[in-house]
Amino acid sequence: DEDSDDGTTRDLRAIPLPMALKRAVNFGGGVQSYFLFLRFLVVLNFFSFLLIAGFVIIPSIVFRSVGFIEYTYLFYGYYNNTMVEGMNFSYNIPLAYLSTAAFYLLFCLVCIIAMGTTARVVVATGDSSEGNYSMLVFTGWDFGSNGNQATKLKQQNIYYRLQVDLEEEMIKKKSSALTQRQKVCLYSARVVLFTLTLGFIGAALTGIFFATNFSQGLLYEYLPSIVITGANFIVPLLNDQIAPFEQYSPSVTVVLALLAVVLRLVSLVILLYTLWRQITCDETPDECALCCWETRVGQEMYKLTLFDLIVNIAVLMLVEFPRRMIVDNWHNKLTQWVGRQEFVVPYNVLGLVYGQTVVWTGAFFCPLLPLINTFKFIILFYTKRITLFSNCRPAVKTFRSTTSSFFFSGILLLGLTLASVVMIYSVAIHPSMACGPFRFLTSMWDVVPKSISKLSQTTREFLFFLGSQSFSIPLFVLSLILCYIVALATVYKKSVTLLKTQLKLDKQFLVRQIGRL
Amino acid sequence: MGNKQTIFTAQQLDAYQVSDHVYSILFYRYRDLAPQLVPLDYTNNPDVKLPYELIGSMPELKDNPFRQRIAEVFSEDGEGNMTLNDFLDMFSVLSEMAPRDLKAYYAFKIYDFNNDDFICKSDLEKTLNKLTRNELTEEEVRMVCEKVLDEADLDNDGRLSLDDFQHMILRAPEFLSTFHIRI
């Protein structure tokens, strides 16, 4: 199970940040995948920033025209709406802005798919859960590990891993032994608790909705961010308390927890929805009070990002450290029951995906956001590492790391889709007239036809041909199929080599057995 | 090396097939455990045995829950008191150079607590308790032992023979890296 982490370490091509990732394994294999995932995101954001800087920010700085010095590069509102001329060439800033945004999303898509396919696919390489126990017992102990502390941690790790598997077995046995009456009780309890969870989520979302509508004045500017981050923090905690009563097996509980935490993405959707309502109001422009809506959206995303970081650090300092101090120094029943903080991988991963989705949504309106996010994730990396080693105990329910990379890519793709939808929508609607590179155009997309019409006739015809339905759609479908086949072929090749080795060993064994008869 | 001159015969070196460099490192580690007992001159194969307590106090072994079994398996007298040959054997099998089959053979002997050439249920229970520091309940220990025998016992005699063990180990990619002590 845990050897898949070694595979992921070798496959991820990332700049190594100085960190003893090996130690993290003692807290459960999923923890190591969390940190690897975080490292991947840092690199992704950094390269995205380089992309944006190269094509949008630096040309804007170089070819700056006077009069806009009071705005900052942070937000969309700043950027030039014209072609800028300098030296012997002209640089079409609006076109650059739009195409960079499109390439940025495509680039992220490619990176995510690359990360996902280099992960081990459990299904194709056969049943890897076979031989779990014997492997663990006979090869689980690292004879090279030194030191009392490392030994104790390793023993605890093995203990917890065995426990996870055993717990699943025992629950399976128990659930098949329930009487009719007990089953009825259990199912009705599940229904009640599910409705309660939905109720909590609904209340949180309505709160977000009202907070966004209410945030017109300067005082209430941070209200949506506060409510969202608050809801994100509280609802999973409540869910965590409820889950034991529902008596699902650990794997199912983890999946349910993940689903419940998809709330994070939904809360973002609600925020966007309320903003959208404010943008597309039917009254006259004066009453809408949003003369530069793109900057407003960019600002909201920027605030969300910052707030997320602030809350994470605040939780660390105000909750986790004190909790450890209290639990370690006071020994009574209450502290025993509460216990030290557990580093629960699913929630932390979803926090990362949420943060990344916010950045993707906001990057179009706030080009420096990927850079800010790079720093945010670096800070998060080190703070989480500190809290892991100082405050946490190994997770009781270990998150199976074999499928984790695959799974992380999946939810990341979901976030990317949400961001793409937002971007496509923004491109299609009427941009604001007072700011940004696309003012005076009916829609952002218009800049593309206009630029194309300035090219020569042959180039135009060639581009039209490429863009026509008869060419691009088959090409797109073909390339998707090709990618899929290539990915499948690599995985099958690996499993074929593995099966061949196993076959050889089985033959040797049988020959020896025959020899003994 | 300074003025510490050690004298080994070529024959002694050949027997172990480790490099001179490794051989001398191991010799000095052995000697450091009890300098007054171990002579520098080994050409006459002196009969020197270090008691288990000294071996078990080495930093590489002192926290290992299996240190006693390791010492017993590699010692001539079966009680953990090791001669230089035993010591060299131990660290060369546990080094990264040793072949997988050899390691599997010795791992099997280590886990075979009652030395009956089979890993039976009681051996498994002892192994589990050492692995988890006695934290598992009896019920859990029993379940894990059953599962292990289910998975690895191919001739269905309720215990693991060397063949069963080797067959199972050969499927484990991380065995070579975990059954390894760096000195």
Side-chain angles (χ1 to χ4, degrees):
Chain A
D1 212 15
E2 304 314 295
D3 57 297
S4 67
D5 291 306
D6 294 322
T8 345
T9 321
R10 279 194 292 272
D11 288 338
L12 279 178
R13 285 168 280 116
I15 301 167
L17 289 170
M19 152 106 181
L21 284 169
K22 276 239 159 227
R23 275 181 71 197
V25 176
N26 290 326
F27 289 88
V31 174
Q32 200 184 24
S33 353
Y34 168 80
F35 282 98
L36 289 170
F37 182 61
L38 183 49
R39 193 168 71 179
F40 164 76
L41 284 178
V42 166
V43 173
L44 181 70
N45 276 291
F46 183 67
F47 281 114
S48 319
F49 164 68
L50 288 183
L51 179 75
I52 294 177
F55 289 103
V56 175
I57 300 180
I58 292 180
S60 294
I61 295 175
V62 168
F63 301 116
R64 189 175 52 202
S65 66
V66 282
F68 288 93
I69 304 181
E70 63 265 27
Y71 296 102
T72 68
Y73 283 102
L74 191 57
F75 295 115
Y76 164 103
Y78 178 96
Y79 292 86
N80 256 319
N81 70 320
T82 52
M83 302 261 283
V84 282
E85 318 259 338
M87 304 302 173
N88 286 322
F89 68 92
S90 57
Y91 192 81
N92 189 340
I93 293 231
L95 183 62
Y97 197 95
L98 188 63
S99 22
T100 309
F103 274 119
Y104 166 56
L105 289 179
L106 271 176
F107 169 71
C108 292
L109 180 69
V110 166
C111 284
I112 295 171
I113 293 180
M115 186 185 89
T117 49
T118 56
R120 306 262 179 104
V121 178
V122 178
V123 175
T125 53
D127 190 3
S128 76
S129 62
E130 184 192 286
N132 236 1
Y133 286 94
S134 37
M135 298 286 191
L136 189 55
V137 170
F138 293 120
T139 64
W141 183 261
D142 183 4
F143 280 70
S145 69
N146 280 352
N148 208 11
Q149 188 66 1
T151 308
K152 276 202 200 145
L153 276 176
K154 188 70 186 166
Q155 281 172 319
Q156 266 188 325
N157 178 250
I158 295 183
Y159 169 57
Y160 285 129
R161 277 158 68 178
L162 284 173
Q163 263 212 327
V164 166
D165 290 329
L166 286 174
E167 232 182 278
E168 287 218 35
E169 288 289 324
M170 291 210 264
I171 289 184
K172 271 191 214 161
K173 273 195 190 171
K174 264 194 222 168
S175 62
S176 55
L178 285 178
T179 67
Q180 194 66 6
R181 187 162 171 266
Q182 283 172 322
K183 277 191 185 168
V184 166
C185 278
L186 186 64
Y187 286 141
S188 33
R190 280 180 185 172
V191 166
V192 166
L193 289 167
F194 185 66
T195 350
L196 262 180
T197 318
L198 277 185
F200 279 132
I201 293 177
L205 293 178
T206 342
I208 294 167
F209 179 75
F210 282 119
T212 321
N213 270 329
F214 201 51
S215 69
Q216 299 299 340
L218 198 64
L219 281 174
Y220 300 105
E221 241 179 47
Y222 282 95
L223 203 55
S225 323
I226 296 174
V227 177
I228 289 179
T229 345
N232 288 337
F233 180 62
I234 294 173
V235 176
L237 275 183
L238 288 172
N239 229 43
D240 217 13
Q241 302 307 316
I242 293 175
F245 294 110
E246 299 183 354
Q247 285 189 45
Y248 291 107
S249 70
S251 300
V252 176
T253 319
V254 165
V255 169
L256 280 184
L258 292 174
L259 284 178
V261 184
V262 169
L263 155 82
R264 289 192 159 208
L265 294 179
V266 173
S267 66
L268 186 62
V269 168
I270 299 282
L271 173 65
L272 292 169
Y273 171 73
T274 45
L275 283 173
W276 172 77
R277 281 191 43 157
Q278 287 175 347
I279 291 166
T280 58
C281 47
D282 297 318
E283 293 98 58
T284 61
D286 311 318
E287 290 181 19
C288 283
L290 272 181
C291 59
C292 198
W293 60 266
E294 294 98 342
T295 308
R296 169 79 198 281
V297 177
Q299 279 172 334
E300 290 295 332
M301 298 299 132
Y302 167 73
K303 280 185 252 174
L304 272 182
T305 309
L306 278 190
F307 240 79
D308 197 40
L309 179 66
I310 291 172
V311 167
N312 265 306
I313 295 182
V315 163
L316 180 74
M317 302 213 291
L318 300 174
V319 175
E320 294 191 5
F321 266 104
R323 182 169 169 176
R324 178 186 73 135
M325 300 279 180
I326 293 176
V327 169
D328 281 353
N329 295 322
W330 272 10
H331 292 288
N332 59 26
K333 279 220 154 174
L334 182 67
T335 54
Q336 293 283 42
W337 179 72
V338 168
R340 270 193 175 193
Q341 186 76 28
E342 203 179 285
F343 192 90
V344 185
V345 173
Y347 294 145
N348 283 291
V349 167
L350 273 146
L352 290 182
V353 171
Y354 166 74
Q356 188 60 55
T357 312
V358 166
V359 166
W360 278 328
T361 322
F364 187 62
F365 307 106
C366 174
L368 283 178
L369 205 52
L371 179 67
I372 294 171
N373 203 35
T374 312
F375 287 126
K376 172 187 164 190
F377 277 168
I378 291 179
I379 294 174
L380 209 60
F381 187 95
Y382 285 107
T383 46
K384 286 288 177 187
R385 180 183 160 209
I386 292 172
T387 187
L388 177 70
F389 291 127
S390 324
N391 300 341
C392 295
R393 59 178 164 84
V396 178
K397 305 192 192 88
T398 58
F399 188 63
R400 288 196 187 281
S401 55
T402 35
T403 42
S404 52
S405 290
F406 212 52
F407 172 73
F408 295 166
S409 323
I411 20 174
L412 210 53
L413 269 178
L414 185 68
L416 188 63
T417 319
L418 175 64
S420 315
V421 163
V422 170
M423 189 187 137
I424 291 173
Y425 181 73
S426 322
V427 167
I429 66 174
H430 191 96
S432 50
M433 296 217 257
C435 59
F438 301 103
R439 65 199 99 145
F440 313 133
L441 295 170
T442 34
S443 83
M444 299 189 197
W445 176 253
D446 278 349
V447 78
V448 176
K450 278 197 177 175
S451 320
I452 292 184
S453 61
K454 293 193 192 139
L455 296 169
S456 69
Q457 181 72 7
T458 30
T459 341
R460 243 187 300 162
E461 280 179 5
F462 181 64
L463 284 174
F464 278 140
F465 169 65
L466 283 184
S468 67
Q469 281 166 318
S470 49
F471 184 80
S472 56
I473 291 183
L475 180 70
F476 184 66
V477 171
L478 268 177
S479 47
L480 272 182
I481 295 177
L482 194 68
C483 283
Y484 179 68
I485 290 179
V486 166
L488 216 55
T490 345
V491 165
Y492 281 147
K493 193 169 83 155
K494 278 189 210 163
S495 56
V496 162
T497 3
L498 189 68
L499 288 171
K500 273 193 190 165
T501 340
Q502 283 186 348
L503 193 65
K504 192 175 74 167
L505 296 170
D506 285 339
K507 274 195 216 167
Q508 286 175 350
F509 176 75
L510 286 172
V511 163
R512 262 182 289 172
Q513 291 288 67
I514 291 172
R516 283 210 269 149
L517 287 172
Chain B
M1 297 284 177
N3 53 2
K4 278 193 197 174
Q5 287 293 312
T6 51
I7 307 154
F8 307 113
T9 63
Q11 200 185 28
Q12 281 166 309
L13 283 173
D14 276 340
Y16 290 98
Q17 294 171 340
V18 295
S19 63
D20 296 358
H21 176 64
V22 174
Y23 193 50
S24 19
I25 291 177
L26 289 173
F27 175 75
Y28 286 118
R29 289 301 303 271
Y30 184 72
R31 188 158 188 275
D32 282 339
L33 294 172
Q36 69 282 15
L37 291 176
V38 180
L40 277 169
D41 183 352
Y42 248 80
T43 36
N44 302 317
N45 278 328
D47 182 21
V48 176
K49 255 192 212 180
L50 292 184
Y52 165 67
E53 290 71 34
L54 286 176
I55 307 286
S57 67
M58 287 181 72
E60 288 85 354
L61 288 177
K62 70 171 165 56
D63 296 309
N64 191 325
F66 295 103
R67 62 186 177 279
Q68 184 153 13
R69 279 304 298 162
I70 296 173
E72 284 170 12
V73 161
F74 285 101
S75 61
E76 262 177 49
D77 59 4
E79 312 221 324
N81 308 312
M82 301 180 95
T83 65
L84 178 63
N85 285 352
D86 300 335
F87 189 81
L88 290 167
D89 273 339
M90 175 168 76
F91 280 105
S92 62
V93 168
L94 285 166
S95 76
E96 52 208 3
M97 311 293 261
R100 189 186 263 266
D101 277 349
L102 190 64
K103 285 193 189 236
Y105 173 71
Y106 279 102
F108 180 78
K109 292 184 76 167
I110 288 173
Y111 294 127
D112 179 15
F113 282 78
N114 51 13
N115 286 317
D116 61 351
D117 290 333
F118 287 101
I119 296 181
C120 57
K121 253 199 173 173
S122 69
D123 294 330
L124 274 176
E125 282 170 15
K126 293 207 188 82
T127 308
L128 265 176
N129 282 323
K130 285 207 187 285
L131 278 176
T132 60
R133 220 189 185 88
N134 297 315
E135 297 252 354
L136 288 173
T137 67
E138 276 195 39
E139 173 74 16
E140 288 168 340
V141 168
R142 197 182 53 78
M143 278 181 74
V144 175
C145 290
E146 262 178 40
K147 287 247 151 214
V148 170
L149 285 172
D150 257 340
E151 288 166 2
D153 185 16
L154 294 162
D155 48 14
N156 274 324
D157 57 356
R159 51 195 184 167
L160 299 180
S161 65
L162 178 59
D163 280 329
D164 297 333
F165 186 80
Q166 284 196 320
H167 186 73
M168 185 257 305
I169 284 295
L170 289 168
R171 288 172 189 264
E174 50 181 31
F175 176 66
L176 280 177
S177 55
T178 55
F179 199 70
H180 166 53
I181 295 185
R182 179 182 298 285
I183 194 155

